[in-house]
Amino acid sequence: MRLPVEWIREYVAVGADAEALAERLTMAGLEVEETEASEAGAVLNVKVTPNRGDCLSVIGIARELSALHALPLTSPQAPPSSPDLPPVPVDIETPEDCPRYAARLVRGVRPVESPGWMRRRLLAAGMRPIGAIVDVTNYVMLEMGQPLHAFDFDRLRGGRIVVRRARPGEHLTTLDGVQREPGPEQLLICDAERPVAVAGVMGGVETEIGVRTQTMLLESAHFSRLSVRRSARSLGLHTEASYRFERTVDPEGVVAAADRACALIEQIGAGTPDPGVSDVYPMRHVPSTLSVRPARVSAMLGFRVSDARVAETLRRLGFAVEGPSLMVVVPSWRPDVQREIDLVEEVGRVIGYDEVPERLPAGGTTQGGDSAWGRFADRLRDVLVGVGLQEIVSHSLLAPTRLEDPRTGGQRLPIRSALSAELSGLRRSLLPGLVEAAACNARRGQGPLALFEVGAVFHRGDACYEERPRVAALLSGPTAPTAWQREARQASADFYMAAGLVQHLAQRLGVDEVALEPGDDPRLHPGRRARALLGGQALGWVGELHPGVRDDAGLRERTVAFELDAEALMAASDRRGPCRALSPYQAVSRDLAPRVATDLPFARVRAAVEQALSEVVEWWGLTDLFEGTPLPEGTRSLTLSFRLRAPDRTLSEAEVLEQMGRLREALERSCGATFAA
């Protein structure tokens, strides 16, 4: 916000130059980003935080300087209006959205130019002069922080004002020439028949002030900041007025601002105000009272502050301080002050943080560290980076997409008042982010595409919302760049590579119970998809993207992916048992070659083997697979290799034969396996 220094000095007689004022305001929490020169003299460009709407005006900054320099503050003067002569009827149907509405009439409106001093100040503040009436409303808004709006009174049907929410089918053309259809939650200013303005945001063209305007109705109101924010966001319309209403506007300054504007209009000869004001105030502001303890102030600031100094500092900011116990009445323009600690901050920043003594910190120190989840996430990253994948971090907000599991569509969490359709809900899967990143890189000719992400997904549970960490990876196309020592065309990543990554990840985390079984995820290729299980419970999925899904995403190459519940993996990893000492005794290796049906899932073979294992089997795995002549059609031969070793002795041939016999019997019984004679 840009404000001329000479305008500020009109209300507080600070003698310091612009640079010194900027330094003092910045040290008090109102950052002055730069000082500029203009026809109106030096200009302060102040960055106001969202909680300090009271400082979005000349008076607000002057009040701060008055407190910081212990100088008296004056206010804009204007003849007061009379509430006994209300010029127009005003009805407020939703007082919670509009606690106060004031209106004054100005007759004999003349299309004159605003005076040079006013135009210079407006230009210095970054506003273009338009005409006397509009310039006065902008001038008072900059001066007092109260947005105003002027209606052509003769074009208000019924000569009345109604403040209400929009009704079905209503529309309004705003001053920017856009026809809008406000929603039922939006607050409107209406005449007796139709909407004439979006409350706190922008007026309508049908009641705009023009060269033929004879009588003007000047609006000065206090709107709920939530109501104005809702209207501005839903309409995509943000104005100087909505900017101020969304932060805070002093409800007690409504009539004073209207009086100040009417005085200026009369002063520059743009019209003659009626003396009365329609001031409808259904929800009066009730000042809050807080107690502040000087001992608490001293403890928090780190140096002693006397009772008298605390009281004097707060009074300079406009707070009323009563009694020896320092009961503080918060002024109407400071709704951000709600607790004792807020008062402590006010005292500290006005006294000056440079009074805080320099001393070394005392007391014990603690050694920080990452959380258990943070350490586990780093382990996940280490494993996946170790096999050549690159990490991405995608947005957790996204639009509905085919890349999310359609079977969980009802669990989507939409965002209320989303900034755009592309950011309208929380993600339920990490896959959309991975696919988008892969497609973006593929379009730019980048590769190999091997990506992973560790992040949270969100679901609507039975009784509450759930946020669960996931780990997911995606590989698209060849996994190694073309080089002279390799084949000209590298093979694309396939289902077995993705499944191998899952098994490698589980092995590196010490999770032995991960198994795969045929899946039914519609996003994946029907013959190349699997469910990942951990101890019989769902852990995630792995597979190749369905060709239709892949083509829609813009990926030309075969694409495989997996997504696992990282929280379940962490819990299983924590259950890992203690390390065992290596056996000093010799190991024995044996193979079994069962012949099974080609349509028999390997999961059944695995289950049969694991049921027959004893503690002397140190390791086992599928090491070969054969189909074709001389095997009968519909049969394949598996080579299962076993390594046997006991921790306390050398295994005898009888013990080895007994174990292998149990395995053979289990395969015959559970899988229908046969063995060559």
Side-chain angles (χ1 to χ4, degrees), residues 50 223-230 245-248 335 338:
F223 298 115
S224 158
R225 56 184 177 181
L226 294 179
S227 171
V228 174
R229 183 178 304 164
R230 188 165 53 229
F245 279 122
E246 287 181 38
R247 284 151 180 81
T248 187
Q338 300 176 350

Side-chain angles (χ1 to χ4, degrees), residues 347-481:
V347 173
R349 69 182 188 85
V350 171
I351 289 178
Y353 296 126
D354 53 346
E355 286 203 22
V356 177
E358 297 180 4
R359 65 170 70 112
L360 292 174
T365 59
T366 57
Q367 183 175 5
D370 206 348
S371 64
W373 162 246
R375 294 193 298 273
F376 184 75
D378 285 342
R379 289 178 61 193
L380 292 173
R381 294 185 178 98
D382 288 344
V383 174
L384 295 174
V385 169
V387 294
L389 273 66
Q390 290 182 299
E391 183 178 14
I392 69 162
V393 179
S394 63
H395 209 301
S396 58
L397 298 178
L398 74 171
T401 168
R402 288 183 64 188
L403 294 169
E404 290 191 311
D405 191 345
R407 298 168 299 179
T408 62
Q411 300 177 3
R412 186 170 190 269
L413 297 179
I415 299 298
R416 186 184 301 167
S417 303
L419 295 176
S420 68
E422 289 74 21
L423 304 174
S424 60
L426 288 165
R427 64 185 178 190
R428 289 174 287 130
S429 169
L430 300 181
L431 182 61
L434 288 167
V435 169
E436 182 180 358
C440 181
N441 281 277
R443 287 195 296 272
R444 288 160 175 76
Q446 300 299 309
L449 298 175
L451 311 173
F452 78 94
E453 181 170 9
V454 180
V457 300
F458 307 86
H459 294 88
R460 188 195 306 273
D462 295 334
C464 60
Y465 300 116
E466 297 178 355
E467 175 181 346
R468 294 184 69 87
R470 294 277 184 89
V471 54
L474 177 145
L475 298 90
S476 182
T479 55

Side-chain angles (χ1 to χ4, degrees), residues 223-306:
F223 298 115
S224 158
R225 56 184 177 181
L226 294 179
S227 171
V228 174
R229 183 178 304 164
R230 188 165 53 229
S231 296
R233 287 194 176 185
S234 60
L235 296 175
L237 185 61
H238 299 275
T239 62
E240 288 286 342
S242 67
Y243 179 77
R244 284 167 171 78
F245 279 122
E246 287 181 38
R247 284 151 180 81
T248 187
V249 170
D250 183 7
E252 297 296 333
V254 167
V255 173
D259 293 346
R260 171 65 171 163
C262 287
L264 287 172
I265 289 171
E266 189 168 29
Q267 177 185 336
I268 65 178
T272 304
D274 279 3
V277 59
S278 300
D279 182 14
V280 181
Y281 200 173
M283 293 183 65
R284 290 192 172 274
H285 170 73
V286 179
S288 60
T289 302
L290 302 173
S291 172
V292 59
R293 297 163 291 176
R296 179 68 172 166
V297 175
S298 300
M300 296 304 296
L301 296 180
F303 61 95
R304 186 179 183 282
V305 185
S306 67

Side-chain angles (χ1 to χ4, degrees), residues 26-27 48 202 317 358 413 415 434 467 493 507 578 624 632 639 666:
T26 299
M27 294 305 296
V48 181
M202 185 176 282
L317 285 168
E358 297 180 4
L413 297 179
I415 299 298
L434 288 167
E467 175 181 346
Q507 182 184 17
D624 199 5
T639 300

